[in-house]
Amino acid sequence: MILPVEERPINQSSWAEFLLMEFSHARELQMLHFIMFLLLYLAAVTANLLIISAVAFDHHLHTPMYFFLMNLAIQDVGQLSVIMPKSMTNSLLNTRRISYWGCVAQVFLFLFFLASDFSLLTVMAYDRYVAICNPLQYGMLMNKKACIQMVTSVWSSSFFYGMLHAGGTFAPPFRSNIVNQFFCEIPQLLKLACSDLYLIEICVVFLSAIVGLGCFIFIVVSYVHIFTAVLRIPSVQGRQKAFSTCLPHLFVFSILVFTGCFAYLVPTSNSPSPMDLALTMGYTIVPPLMNPVIYSMRNKDIQHAVSKLFGLKYLSSLSLPILQR
């Protein structure tokens, strides 16, 4: 149960912390939240670390697609680690506090990883487009140097993107330190601003939405070409393999785009709202949980590499192919 909390005015010269949303006043429900978040966090981090290890230590996976998947797994671990441990700690210790600079760090790092997620999914769509629609040029267009340049551009641009949002969000003074979300989310922070300086961040958010829409259109157009090419594949098995690779990508990206747009562009409520919480979890927690499953754990090469890490020679040949059906 999400409990409303009254806002209180604060003295700008003395405050040094924010108060995050608590899921309940009941100690039992706080511990339930802690256990649920802990299980989700451990499951997602473990799966993504397995992917990172498998790609890093198996030279057969040193290809563009798996290189991008490894970077996506790194991003997923980072995104979850920025917000979930603090929320779990607060529930465990029965507190709501986060320091001012801790809140700044959350905004910066979360937007850094979120932007890299968005960019990596766009790059992966281009990779699939070239692989399926221009297979003869794949080796030339997606060579090692080009892949490193793409990933470097993703991480460096995301770093400056996070800095831009952190600067715009914390430029205005705040009239309250009550944040109606389980982490320092930008829409909730902007609602607390008491000067027109918050309009700077509003402009940045709308500019981001335009860029995001452009990426979304690029991905949709890429998949139109991909699906057109796939339908021309004579082999039914070949078509199924291509669709199984592309459709999950489009599904996760759609969740990220639509929940993120609703969370950032739709006005937030004045009190803690189940809808705000659901939208926030939709773009913060769901994609990092689903990415390992739909991108990698259903992939025979990843299964084989993971089984080799643990010396399980027959794991991928006996049980895991069931997931491919």
Side-chain angles (χ1 to χ4, degrees):
M1 177 180 179
I2 303 171
L3 300 175
V5 182
E6 281 193 33
E7 296 181 353
R8 58 182 175 85
I10 54 179
N11 185 345
Q12 290 293 324
S13 63
S14 63
W15 67 273
E17 65 183 14
F18 289 95
L19 299 179
L20 299 176
M21 182 190 74
E22 58 183 357
F23 285 79
S24 175
H25 288 321
R27 188 62 181 150
E28 295 80 6
L29 294 180
Q30 289 178 351
M31 294 307 298
L32 178 61
H33 161 247
F34 168 77
I35 293 171
M36 290 180 60
F37 264 40
L38 178 63
L39 293 176
L40 291 174
Y41 179 73
L42 291 178
V45 169
T46 300
N48 281 294
L49 288 179
L50 284 176
I51 294 169
I52 295 168
S53 302
V55 175
F57 292 108
D58 192 330
H59 69 278
H60 294 103
L61 301 183
H62 293 177
T63 63
M65 182 178 74
Y66 295 113
F67 177 63
F68 295 139
L69 280 176
M70 183 179 69
N71 278 270
L72 185 66
I74 294 172
Q75 179 278 323
D76 286 338
V77 172
Q79 180 174 323
L80 290 176
S81 298
V82 168
I83 59 175
M84 292 189 73
K86 180 59 179 176
S87 181
M88 290 187 291
T89 301
N90 281 359
S91 290
L92 184 64
L93 300 179
N94 192 22
T95 183
R96 301 166 53 196
R97 295 188 173 95
I98 182 172
S99 68
Y100 174 82
W101 290 109
C103 194
V104 174
Q106 266 199 348
V107 170
F108 163 65
L109 291 173
F110 177 72
L111 267 296
F112 166 59
F113 286 117
L114 184 65
S116 64
D117 187 0
F118 206 90
S119 302
L120 280 169
L121 291 174
T122 304
V123 169
M124 289 169 65
Y126 175 72
D127 173 67
R128 293 299 85 204
Y129 166 77
V130 176
I132 294 174
C133 298
N134 297 290
L136 298 180
Q137 299 181 8
Y138 186 79
M140 179 182 68
L141 295 176
M142 302 301 295
N143 56 63
K144 181 178 180 180
K145 181 179 179 181
C147 292
I148 292 175
Q149 288 177 341
M150 288 180 187
V151 170
T152 301
S153 299
V154 165
W155 289 109
S156 57
S157 60
S158 298
F159 178 86
F160 289 109
Y161 181 80
M163 292 283 289
L164 182 64
H165 273 289
T169 301
F170 291 92
F174 299 102
R175 57 182 171 82
S176 171
N177 65 344
I178 306 295
V179 181
N180 290 326
Q181 194 52 267
F182 67 92
F183 75 103
C184 290
E185 189 184 38
I186 288 179
Q188 298 293 338
L189 290 170
L190 293 181
K191 191 171 62 177
L192 307 178
C194 61
S195 82
D196 291 339
L197 288 175
Y198 79 95
L199 295 176
I200 297 174
E201 177 60 17
I202 293 293
C203 292
V204 174
V205 169
F206 275 99
L207 179 62
S208 302
I210 293 173
V211 173
L213 180 61
C215 291
F216 183 71
I217 293 173
F218 172 82
I219 289 179
V220 169
V221 171
S222 298
Y223 276 108
V224 168
H225 288 286
I226 289 172
F227 292 149
T228 302
V230 166
L231 291 174
R232 291 199 295 264
I233 297 177
S235 168
V236 175
Q237 185 178 4
R239 290 199 299 269
Q240 290 178 344
K241 183 177 179 181
F243 279 124
S244 68
T245 301
C246 299
L247 286 176
H249 182 181
L250 190 60
F251 177 68
V252 171
F253 191 81
S254 298
I255 291 177
L256 178 64
V257 169
F258 289 113
T259 56
C261 285
F262 273 103
Y264 276 75
L265 298 181
V266 175
T268 57
S269 57
N270 293 323
S271 59
S273 165
M275 179 59 69
D276 290 340
L277 178 62
L279 290 173
T280 297
M281 294 186 70
Y283 77 90
T284 59
I285 297 178
V286 173
L289 281 170
M290 296 185 65
N291 283 340
V293 177
I294 66 176
Y295 282 125
S296 303
M297 294 308 177
R298 295 173 66 251
N299 183 291
K300 288 184 178 180
D301 294 331
I302 292 288
Q303 293 170 9
H304 180 66
V306 170
S307 66
K308 285 200 320 185
L309 285 175
F310 295 97
L312 304 176
K313 296 182 180 180
Y314 303 104
L315 177 62
S316 60
S317 62
L318 293 177
S319 58
L320 291 176
I322 295 174
L323 297 174
Q324 302 291 331
R325 298 176 184 174

